[in-house]
Amino acid sequence: MIASPVLLAWATGLESASSISPRVDALFRGLLVAGSGMAALLLVANLTLLIRYRAGSRAQRGPVNLPVNLIEAGWIAATTVVFVAFFAWGASVYLDMERPPAGGVRIEIVARQWMWDVRHANGRRELDTLHVPAGETVRLELSSEDVIHSLFVPAFRVKQDVVPGKVVTTWFEATRPGRYRLYCSQYCGTKHAGMTGEVVVLPPAEYAAWLGRGDASGEIAARGRAALVRNGCTGCHSPGGTVRAPVLEGLHGRRIPLADGSFVLVDTAYLRDSILEPNRQVAAGFDPVMPSFKGIIPEGELLDIIAYLRVANEGTKP
Amino acid sequence: MSVDPPPASPPPDYLAAGVTVRSWLLTHDHKRVALLYLFTITAFFAIAAVAAALMRWELLTPDADLVTPDIYNRLFTLHGVLMVWFFLIPSIPNVLGNFLLPLMLGAPDVAFPRLNLASWYIFLAGGLLVLQAILTGGVDTGWTFYTPYSSTYANGQVMLMAAGVFVAGFSSIATGLNFIVTIHKFRAPGLTWFRLPLFVWSLYATSLILVLATPVLAITLLLIVLERGFGIGIFDPRLGGDPLLFQHLFWFYSHPAVYIMILPGMGVVSETIACFARKRIFGYRVVACSSLAIAVLGFLVWGHHMFVSSQSVYAGLVFSLLSFLVSVPSAVKVFNWTATFHRASIRFDTPLLYALGFMALFTIGGLTGLFLATLAVDVHVHDTYFVIAHFHYIMVGGMVMAYLGGIHYWWPKISGRLYPEGLARVSALVIFLGFNLTFFPQFVLGYLGMPRRYHIYPPEFQVLNVLSTAGASLLGLGYLLPLVYLTWSFFRGPPAGANPWRATGLEWTTASPPPERNFAESPVVSGGPYDYPEPARE
């Protein structure tokens, strides 16, 4: 009985298609072996005792002087040691899952009821499908426009909750080209079960070609520029603005002084913070008068604006 | 006016002491309150079981062909809410605990009989609110009420259902308080702490959790209502809140609540094993203290529900380690039960069959819990059917088996009558097989990646889902059998006598069913709880 799911799981065999998945599988099988061993031991011990000492059997009874305290201490110590060993094994794999290697491909994904809105670095977008190169680190920057979702790719043994109000990063390195299922695994409302998709792993050259076919950086930048105007940002953030505010184009990638005398690198995170929490790190020489746009600019538009500011910067570089 | 009382005839038993509806609804007798709970939670169990059956039938095929997504989402929410708060949490404590605690202590009643009755009314009020929420539109948040979905986005009667659970929580607190005081103050002369039956120890540990954890649930539900009803930003980031704060608060209650849903079952299993092995439980003191250890450590592991929630990596490490440690006292209990069979004299009556079923299923549930405590494995199987299978092995395989075992074991005491032993053994077997067929395949489904709360799924998962649905049908049949023959036995079963199992324990020293005040005179205790005669060859 204990062995049947083990065999079934091994027989049905879930695809293993990421750099981390063999390590998770080894751990899983280690737990299966240890767990089944323990269950089998208990089963044999119980069956033996139950049969041997059934009422009316001829087995010898009467008191024996067992060293009870020693026995108790023994099995408490033994289980603790085994358990802590598995903790350490699980933790060591987990730490590597949580620490992305440097470099690689960066892809932004916005989750909303009930779709995955994928934005590649060059501006190409796709819905419910995620194209990635094989053999390269893929960093996903996940954000949600509404409730908590969770990105789950069983073949990669990757799962990460996507929590509204922050950007959560996860990563994987797909090892084999192919198509793999993608699920939302955190309940998110009516069509939760329909919030599924596919990860398409391509050889790096094919991925580059696929990406190039849909270069949309002009498009995404235009959308971001339009969002800046629509949300009234340009009313202040332009040379002739009504209120004195920094011109945004050309800021990305620079280190700027803050009102408190420190310096900050204008990167994606700083731009996002400055829109959502504008008074946290105010640029030197400006009044802290900007209102927060938290909950006003949707996550998708926020990413468009940041994408525009990154591109606008490239255009103005000396 | 002093008239000598007539010569004492034995007082009527608690069932015969009054037959009017009023005598039941205004009773102060802990045994009657226990039966009020028994009827109420059986009704809630039936409703929640029907919801489960509908879900299993929907999952027979990969497509949505029986219910709409919105209905499906409402079904799993009502299944979870009713089973957790209106069946599992009150099951053993409020039915068997209420009935047995004063009997086991040699006391005439619990410390606060009126509070005891009040807690049933509060429980009933909470249950009616939940039923109203279900009938007037339902709730689709899942029993976990995760924010900001529940506080901002979900349609339906979230506030009403939260109010129902909130109200029922006060019943838990009242019962916990009542039990703690009763155990401290109402023990018979000579009944020292280490002479208490292990069931009493498990009720004590459970009551501590009820009193300490339930207020946190109340606060959490109140905060949802504040955000949903009044727009006060607590959990929704759009209002300046933090969605993960909810998960910390919710699991700070709900993980200890898992132990509310298993500790009393462990107590029942200890009692049954001692009786049917006719032996003192091996390592009695360690088993008693392990209940307390579980209660304490159980408060420190809530973060293991949040390994993929984006909580800090270091928090994950600490919670993982503590989760492994909380498993040690549970494992120790299983070892001690096994060791109890050494040199025992074992009779395989129905209560022992349930206890053995508990040991097998709880062991599988516990071992798979270790998979989930292992960080890197949890990332993969979190929120999949692996988790569903795991906690059903604990709560249904563990707690419900123990509950049914306890009902059978103490049935002669509760009803004064015997149940049909052969039929009972068959149904115990049917339940065991049906349960395994239902939930075993779900471990594999989860490992293969089938997420929970999906009413549609990829076709490759169908075979395992069909197996699971077949098992659920068998399980449903298994649950109907005891309902039928116990009802029959209550009215027509042969008289049981005071102690049909020849068990030790004060509850067996009084008549079956016991008189209203339990004991003609307060018993005096001079020995341990399981002083069975030397199991010489019978």
Side-chain angles (χ1 to χ4, degrees):
Chain A
M1 198 180 75
I2 305 300
S4 57
V6 183
L7 295 174
L8 203 51
W10 254 315
T12 42
L14 176 60
E15 288 164 304
S16 162
S18 77
S19 59
I20 206 80
S21 59
R23 296 182 61 197
V24 175
D25 287 358
L27 180 55
F28 189 83
R29 285 169 195 191
L31 280 161
L32 271 180
V33 169
S36 307
M38 190 150 161
L41 203 69
L42 278 167
L43 190 68
V44 170
N46 273 291
L47 284 180
T48 310
L49 292 171
L50 287 170
I51 293 168
R52 189 173 157 80
Y53 294 109
R54 67 192 184 279
S57 75
R58 288 157 175 275
Q60 194 191 350
R61 296 194 171 81
V64 274
N65 275 330
L66 292 174
V68 177
N69 290 338
L70 201 66
I71 293 174
E72 298 287 351
W75 58 41
I76 289 173
T79 40
T80 307
V81 167
V82 175
F83 287 1
V84 169
F86 273 104
F87 156 75
W89 187 357
S92 76
V93 179
Y94 179 72
L95 285 174
D96 289 342
M97 290 169 120
E98 290 293 312
R99 264 187 250 138
V105 178
R106 195 179 63 86
I107 299 173
E108 290 169 343
I109 300 181
V110 182
R112 70 174 76 90
Q113 290 175 320
W114 291 274
M115 66 180 75
W116 300 101
D117 180 352
V118 179
R119 294 136 187 269
H120 294 269
N122 72 343
R124 179 153 191 186
R125 285 176 69 174
E126 51 185 339
L127 289 180
D128 296 337
T129 309
L130 170 63
H131 284 78
V132 296
E136 285 182 44
T137 303
V138 175
R139 288 170 66 105
L140 300 179
E141 292 183 5
L142 305 161
S143 54
S144 165
E145 276 191 3
D146 36 52
V147 301
I148 302 177
H149 302 274
S150 189
L151 182 105
F152 177 32
V153 185
F156 299 168
R157 316 291 186 266
V158 165
K159 183 178 289 124
Q160 179 59 58
D161 281 7
V162 186
V163 183
K166 62 180 181 179
V167 177
V168 184
T169 306
T170 190
W171 73 278
F172 58 81
E173 185 194 317
T175 47
R176 284 194 296 130
R179 305 173 91 88
Y180 305 99
R181 292 194 188 278
L182 176 160
Y183 301 94
C184 175
S185 61
Q186 184 63 267
Y187 176 70
C188 59
T190 304
K191 294 182 185 167
H192 166 57
M195 194 167 160
T196 55
E198 207 176 32
V199 182
V200 181
V201 180
L202 300 171
E206 279 181 46
Y207 173 74
W210 175 87
L211 205 57
R213 278 201 297 280
D215 187 339
S217 52
E219 202 184 303
I220 202 172
R223 275 205 313 272
R225 170 76 199 161
L228 271 182
V229 174
R230 189 165 56 248
N231 287 295
C233 310
T234 46
C236 304
H237 290 283
S238 59
T242 47
V243 176
R244 219 173 63 81
V247 174
L248 300 174
E249 287 83 352
L251 276 181
H252 186 263
R254 280 172 45 191
R255 283 172 67 79
I256 59 160
L258 296 180
D260 65 2
S262 63
F263 282 79
V264 68
L265 174 71
V266 181
D267 55 7
T268 305
Y270 177 69
L271 286 172
R272 167 183 288 273
D273 279 357
S274 300
I275 297 169
L276 302 179
E277 305 275 358
N279 295 330
R280 198 186 278 171
Q281 291 177 297
V282 180
F286 295 95
D287 293 330
V289 292
M290 178 170 155
S292 166
F293 282 78
K294 200 174 206 173
I296 296 171
I297 303 184
E299 186 64 34
E301 273 186 35
L302 199 60
L303 291 178
D304 287 342
I305 290 172
I306 293 168
Y308 162 69
L309 293 177
R310 274 205 306 262
V311 182
N313 179 49
E314 280 159 16
T316 53
K317 245 178 197 164
Chain B
M1 207 170 74
S2 77
V3 179
D4 280 343
S9 62
D13 70 64
Y14 79 102
L15 292 169
V19 290
T20 58
V21 172
R22 187 188 154 86
S23 75
W24 280 91
L25 293 183
L26 295 180
T27 183
H28 295 158
D29 185 343
H30 64 100
K31 300 183 286 302
R32 288 191 167 216
V33 173
L35 290 198
L36 291 176
Y37 270 110
L38 175 67
F39 296 128
T40 327
I41 70 167
T42 305
F44 286 130
F45 178 86
I47 299 170
V50 168
L54 286 172
M55 284 191 281
R56 276 314 331 157
W57 283 100
E58 167 61 61
L59 291 170
L60 200 55
T61 66
D63 302 319
D65 25 33
L66 186 64
V67 293
T68 64
D70 278 327
I71 297 287
Y72 186 85
N73 297 341
R74 279 161 172 73
L75 285 174
F76 68 66
T77 305
L78 92 85
H79 173 75
V81 168
L82 286 183
M83 282 297 195
V84 168
W85 283 298
F86 295 91
F87 177 73
L88 285 168
I89 288 181
S91 61
I92 292 183
N94 285 310
V95 177
L96 296 173
N98 250 328
F99 195 96
L100 293 164
L101 182 62
L103 286 167
M104 287 182 162
L105 297 180
D109 207 320
V110 291
F112 309 115
R114 285 183 184 79
L115 181 66
N116 199 24
L117 179 66
S119 82
W120 177 71
Y121 277 104
I122 296 169
F123 175 72
L124 189 65
L128 292 177
L129 284 174
V130 168
L131 289 182
Q132 193 195 344
I134 291 166
L135 293 175
T136 55
V139 176
D140 73 340
T141 60
W143 78 279
T144 47
F145 294 111
Y146 268 24
T147 56
Y149 184 72
S150 66
S151 61
T152 314
Y153 291 84
N155 295 312
Q157 302 282 11
V158 177
M159 295 214 282
L160 198 56
M161 190 165 273
V165 175
F166 176 84
V167 168
F170 287 92
S171 156
S172 290
I173 297 171
T175 301
L177 199 69
N178 217 339
F179 283 6
I180 291 172
V181 176
T182 307
I183 294 169
H184 273 274
K185 307 304 284 185
F186 276 50
R187 282 173 285 127
L191 188 53
T192 58
W193 282 89
F194 282 117
R195 285 177 179 174
L196 287 175
L198 287 165
F199 181 60
V200 174
W201 274 101
S202 75
L203 282 180
Y204 187 73
T206 306
S207 302
L208 288 177
I209 304 175
L210 283 172
V211 169
L212 293 174
T214 315
V216 180
L217 174 71
I219 292 165
T220 313
L221 293 169
L222 206 59
L223 292 176
I224 289 186
V225 171
L226 284 181
E227 180 161 291
R228 196 175 162 89
F230 304 96
I232 298 170
I234 297 155
F235 304 124
D236 187 347
R238 287 187 190 212
L239 304 171
D242 179 357
L244 294 190
L245 173 64
F246 173 83
Q247 295 181 24
H248 283 291
L249 289 170
F250 181 80
W251 291 116
F252 186 83
Y253 161 80
S254 288
H255 197 79
V258 169
Y259 295 106
I260 299 174
M261 294 183 255
I262 194 66
L263 278 169
M266 295 168 158
V268 168
V269 168
S270 294
E271 296 301 314
T272 359
I273 286 180
C275 172
F276 291 93
R278 313 211 65 71
K279 244 184 109 222
R280 186 184 154 88
I281 289 286
F282 187 86
Y284 164 86
R285 278 176 187 242
V286 175
V287 175
C289 293
S290 68
S291 287
L292 293 181
I294 290 171
V296 172
L297 283 170
F299 274 99
L300 305 175
V301 298
W302 77 90
H304 69 209
H305 296 269
M306 300 170 62
F307 288 157
V308 301
S309 72
S310 80
Q311 77 175 352
S312 112
V313 173
Y314 300 101
L317 292 175
V318 172
F319 283 122
S320 170
L321 180 61
L322 289 168
S323 302
F324 274 100
L325 295 184
V326 77
S327 314
V328 174
S330 298
V332 163
K333 280 188 195 266
V334 176
F335 298 149
N336 279 294
W337 291 324
T338 303
T340 302
F341 293 130
H342 184 244
R343 299 204 159 201
S345 175
I346 304 157
R347 287 174 47 100
F348 295 90
D349 291 303
T350 309
L352 185 72
L353 296 187
Y354 277 110
L356 294 174
F358 175 101
M359 283 174 70
L361 302 179
F362 176 75
T363 299
I364 296 173
L367 287 169
T368 50
L370 297 178
F371 286 58
L372 293 167
T374 308
L375 284 157
V377 170
D378 181 72
V379 170
H380 175 55
V381 289
H382 182 79
D383 271 332
T384 69
Y385 266 83
F386 193 92
V387 175
I388 306 284
H390 157 71
F391 72 69
H392 281 88
Y393 264 82
I394 300 286
M395 291 179 188
V396 185
M399 189 67 162
V400 178
M401 292 297 269
Y403 174 68
L404 288 173
I407 291 281
H408 282 85
Y409 179 48
W410 284 293
W411 185 256
K413 186 55 57 185
I414 295 171
S415 69
R417 292 172 189 273
L418 297 174
Y419 56 84
E421 183 63 37
L423 192 54
R425 287 187 198 180
V426 170
S427 20
L429 196 65
V430 170
I431 290 173
F432 183 78
L433 294 176
F435 174 84
N436 279 300
L437 188 55
T438 310
F439 293 104
F440 233 62
Q442 296 186 3
F443 281 123
V444 186
L445 274 175
Y447 169 74
L448 294 177
M450 178 162 166
R452 65 192 290 197
R453 296 171 173 175
Y454 269 41
H455 66 291
I456 48 176
Y457 54 83
E460 65 261 30
F461 295 145
Q462 191 174 4
V463 174
L464 290 162
N465 271 299
V466 169
L467 285 177
S468 183
T469 299
S473 310
L474 194 61
L475 186 60
L477 176 72
Y479 285 145
L480 278 178
L481 288 171
L483 196 66
V484 173
Y485 67 70
L486 289 180
T487 308
W488 172 85
S489 154
F490 192 83
F491 297 104
R492 296 267 185 279
N499 189 2
W501 307 120
R502 293 181 296 120
T504 62
L506 291 178
E507 77 269 29
W508 300 107
T509 61
T510 186
S512 303
E516 250 189 313
R517 301 297 285 172
N518 293 345
F519 299 95
E521 52 191 271
S522 182
V524 176
V525 179
S526 59
Y530 310 114
D531 284 342
Y532 283 95
E534 202 55 50
R537 278 208 298 262
E538 296 185 20

